[in-house]
């Protein structure tokens, strides 16, 4: 077993135009003061990192690592959630997702996809230059608009969709493998990889690629009524990242999983600050420790009620209090009789 590293924090939801949230230097000083030991960096935000420069310059990466080390911080992982989304976009979502792309490729789906793929490849090399072994992303979606089968899905549609998704991601996975980095898909509604079954279908298309791994976030499973604890039993060998994020699901006679087009605060399922939702984090930390997870516990803060600064402030001690120092001894060793083959034979009547 291993002791989970942490607490750490994903910076994406906290970046802003005012100090201390407007630069990597200032925001990391702030999170260090709250007791965090690691930061997960959104690679699309130029206030945090120049992704292409990080891919091309080890010196630049060493400077970032050194700046953070002086504050007692480490980079846990980079994230390409927004770029990964653009690797696979159904035309129904072109206008919505164009907002994630630079102006130079907006309105041009082919160019946008090529840009996204290159971004992921930059991220692989940047992660290597930063000494990281895992990376966070989204799978994108070609089939999400058919998630509820009405009208009826044509025969072979799903199989063809996953075949294409695998075709797009396989070269990216190979690049990550060359760089020695696990590519971790956040299993998330809105993505073609949104539960265990869809991950397995994708894994089949990439021939079980060893770099196709998982970012575990229980909040997205609470909102779709999936057993988020048993999920760990099924997929612990592929879980290489962990977002510590809370949620609650309170269905009524008026709405359930789909949320009735309501705002987040009025949905039956909504994200909450740590400790304010329904996620059983004690069991999660126990299971991950039991299975030898040796990565970081990273706060991803999202809540439609609580102020983000309060959420971040409460998050560090919450995570720290749930981290289990993995035991190095068996609790009943005091009563052990040692190893003796002849004694074992006598006990067995042999």
């Amino acid at each position: 077993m291993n002791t989970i590293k942490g607490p750490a924090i994903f910076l994406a939801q906290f970046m802003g135009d005012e100090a201390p949230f407007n630069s990597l230097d200032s925001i990391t000083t702030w999170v260090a003061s709250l007791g965090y030991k690691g930061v997960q960096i959104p690679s699309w935000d130029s206030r945090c990192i120049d992704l292409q420069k990080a891919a091309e310059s080890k010196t630049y990466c060493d400077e970032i690592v050194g700046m953070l080390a002086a504050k007692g911080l480490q980079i846990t992982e980079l994230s390409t959630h927004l770029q990964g989304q653009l690797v696979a976009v159904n035309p129904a979502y072109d206008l919505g997702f164009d907002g994630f792309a630079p102006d130079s490729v907006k309105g041009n789906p082919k160019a946008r996809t090529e840009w996204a793929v290159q971004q992921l490849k930059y991220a692989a090399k940047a992660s290597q230059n930063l000494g990281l072994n895992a990376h966070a992303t989204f799978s994108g979606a070609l089939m999400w608009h058919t998630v509820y089968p009405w009208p009826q899905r044509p025969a072979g549609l799903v199989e063809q969709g996953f075949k294409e998704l695998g075709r797009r991601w396989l070269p990216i996975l190979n690049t990550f493998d060359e760089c020695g980095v696990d590519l971790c898909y956040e299993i998330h509604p809105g993505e073609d990889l949104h539960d265990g079954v869809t991950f397995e279908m994708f894994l089949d298309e990439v021939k079980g690629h060893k770099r196709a791994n998982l970012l575990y976030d229980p909040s997205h499973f609470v909102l779709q009524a999936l057993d988020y604890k048993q999920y760990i039993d099924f997929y612990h060998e592929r879980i290489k990242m962990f977002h510590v994020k809370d949620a609650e699901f309170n269905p009524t006679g008026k709405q359930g999983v789909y949320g009735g087009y309501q705002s987040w605060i009025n949905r039956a399922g909504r994200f909450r600050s740590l400790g304010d939702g329904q996620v059983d984090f004690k069991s999660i930390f126990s299971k991950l420790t039991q299975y030898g997870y040796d990565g970081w516990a990273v706060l991803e803060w999202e809540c439609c009620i609580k102020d983000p600064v309060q959420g971040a402030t409460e998050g560090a001690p919450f995570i720290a209090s749930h981290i289990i120092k993995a035991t190095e001894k068996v609790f009943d060793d005091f009563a052990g009789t040692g190893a003796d083959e002849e004694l074992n034979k006598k006990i067995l009547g042999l």
Side-chain angles (χ1 to χ4, degrees):
M1 295 189 295
N2 301 289
T3 298
I4 296 172
K5 297 190 284 284
I9 186 170
F10 187 23
L11 298 179
Q13 287 84 358
F14 298 94
M15 297 304 298
D17 295 328
E18 298 181 1
F21 310 108
N22 57 351
S23 74
L24 184 64
D25 187 16
S26 59
I27 197 171
T28 53
T29 297
W30 174 67
V31 301
S33 74
L34 299 180
Y36 290 98
K37 298 178 181 179
V39 290
Q40 189 176 99
I41 295 178
S43 69
W44 62 85
D45 195 324
S46 60
R47 293 169 296 191
C48 289
I49 195 169
D50 182 327
L51 184 60
Q52 182 175 350
K53 186 175 181 179
E56 296 173 348
S57 172
K58 182 70 164 60
T59 300
Y60 172 68
C61 290
D62 290 344
E63 290 171 353
I64 294 175
V65 170
M67 182 265 287
L68 295 176
K71 305 177 190 201
L73 293 170
Q74 299 178 51
I75 301 175
T76 64
E77 304 93 4
L78 300 180
S79 155
T80 52
H81 283 85
L82 302 194
Q83 301 100 310
Q85 184 75 59
L86 300 184
V87 170
V89 178
N90 185 279
Y93 297 99
D94 271 340
L95 290 177
F97 285 135
D98 253 359
F100 293 175
D103 291 341
S104 60
V105 299
K106 286 180 179 177
N108 186 338
K110 183 176 184 293
R112 184 184 61 203
T113 300
E114 292 171 351
W115 173 84
V117 170
Q118 183 59 64
Q119 286 283 299
L120 266 293
K121 291 181 177 181
Y122 283 149
K125 186 60 179 177
S127 296
Q128 182 184 44
N129 285 342
L130 289 163
L132 307 177
N133 58 20
H135 179 79
T137 198
F138 279 150
S139 69
L142 299 173
M143 297 165 280
W144 179 253
H145 66 300
T146 71
V147 68
Y148 195 87
W150 183 256
Q152 186 182 59
R153 287 189 290 259
L157 178 76
V158 172
E159 291 79 6
Q160 189 172 345
F162 275 101
K163 185 178 182 64
E164 174 63 18
L165 198 67
R167 185 191 69 80
R168 296 189 187 194
W169 278 103
L170 189 56
I172 299 170
L173 286 163
N174 288 339
T175 299
F176 272 85
D177 191 31
E178 292 166 5
C179 294
V181 180
D182 290 319
L183 184 54
C184 303
Y185 296 96
E186 181 168 358
I187 304 303
H188 188 289
E191 311 301 319
D192 282 340
L193 306 191
H194 55 268
D195 58 14
V197 172
T198 51
F199 176 67
E200 290 178 12
M201 294 173 75
F202 174 75
L203 204 57
D204 287 342
E205 293 300 332
V206 295
K207 305 296 188 282
H209 202 293
K210 69 178 183 179
R211 296 299 179 182
N213 288 296
L214 294 166
L215 189 169
Y216 175 71
D217 182 335
S219 69
H220 302 302
F221 301 150
V222 170
L223 269 56
Q224 56 179 307
L226 186 152
D227 187 334
Y228 58 86
K229 291 184 281 189
Q230 190 180 41
Y231 179 95
I232 300 174
D233 296 327
F234 288 142
Y235 302 112
H236 59 88
E237 292 180 351
R238 293 275 179 175
I239 294 173
K240 307 295 185 182
M241 292 180 60
F242 173 27
H243 271 176
V244 189
K245 182 177 171 184
D246 213 342
E248 61 184 355
F249 180 53
N250 300 304
T252 70
K254 290 187 175 183
Q255 61 158 297
V257 169
Y258 301 113
Y261 294 114
Q262 297 303 294
S263 62
W264 276 111
I265 199 166
N266 292 318
R267 291 174 66 90
R270 57 190 187 178
F271 303 126
R272 298 300 310 274
S273 253
L274 292 186
D276 295 343
Q278 298 167 345
V279 175
D280 180 1
F281 284 108
K282 286 187 177 181
S283 292
I284 288 172
F285 275 82
S286 291
K287 278 184 175 289
L288 289 175
T289 303
Q290 169 191 340
Y291 286 121
Y293 174 74
D294 61 356
W296 288 84
V298 181
L299 168 67
E300 184 185 22
W301 180 88
E302 290 180 349
C303 185
C304 55
I305 296 176
K306 185 170 285 184
D307 176 80
V309 172
Q310 183 181 0
T313 302
E314 294 172 348
F318 183 94
I319 293 173
S321 70
H322 282 78
I323 291 175
I324 299 167
K325 179 175 172 51
T327 184
E328 297 178 358
K329 60 181 294 185
V330 179
F331 67 89
D332 58 356
D333 274 351
F334 72 93
T337 58
D340 186 326
E341 187 175 351
E342 291 304 315
L343 176 61
N344 290 343
K345 287 181 179 179
K346 291 180 181 178
I347 293 173
L348 293 169
L350 302 179

